[in-house]
Amino acid sequence: MPDDQQPAASGATSPADRPTPRSATDLPTLRRPAGPPRKPTDNRPTGVVAGWITRGGSGPCYGLMDENGTEYAVYGPNAGELRKGELVTLRLTARDRSVDCGPGIPMRIIEE
């Protein structure tokens, strides 16, 4: 075999085998916060509760478990069909116990 047709030396790497060079610029570093936020960062309007329907149907009584595990007995004569397991966000207000909607904090759905 002529000298100019010798196989490449073992251990040689092709450009595809080489690691990609790192960027010449440094990544920004985050500073430590001075303390906790002064105001909550996930504010919801007053009376708005997000959670899952635990007792559904066509109403007027429903069960609702909020994101913190609080159970509500919700009354909503015009709320329509709410299915068990459905994630909802409802505007609620306190109500008297004249209607028994089962276990939980008695609340009424505010119609908008």
Side-chain angles (χ1 to χ4, degrees):
M1 196 184 285
D3 287 336
D4 60 338
Q5 292 181 351
Q6 292 289 331
S10 65
T13 59
S14 68
D17 294 335
R18 292 183 190 147
T20 305
R22 292 188 175 170
S23 171
T25 60
D26 291 330
L27 295 174
T29 55
L30 298 175
R31 292 187 222 154
R32 265 196 115 90
R38 292 189 178 116
K39 297 178 183 176
T41 57
D42 59 349
N43 282 339
R44 282 200 178 98
T46 303
V48 174
V49 177
W52 294 266
I53 298 297
T54 58
R55 291 184 315 275
S58 57
C61 289
Y62 310 94
L64 175 71
M65 180 78 66
D66 76 4
E67 299 165 307
N68 299 317
T70 303
E71 186 176 12
Y72 296 92
V74 180
Y75 178 71
N78 299 318
E81 181 78 21
L82 296 177
R83 292 180 305 235
K84 184 176 179 178
E86 183 177 6
L87 177 63
V88 295
T89 302
L90 300 172
R91 184 177 299 275
L92 302 177
T93 188
R95 68 172 173 79
D96 63 24
R97 294 184 181 265
S98 63
V99 177
D100 183 10
C101 285
I105 300 169
M107 301 297 276
R108 182 175 53 86
I109 298 173
I110 298 174
E111 312 285 327
E112 292 186 32

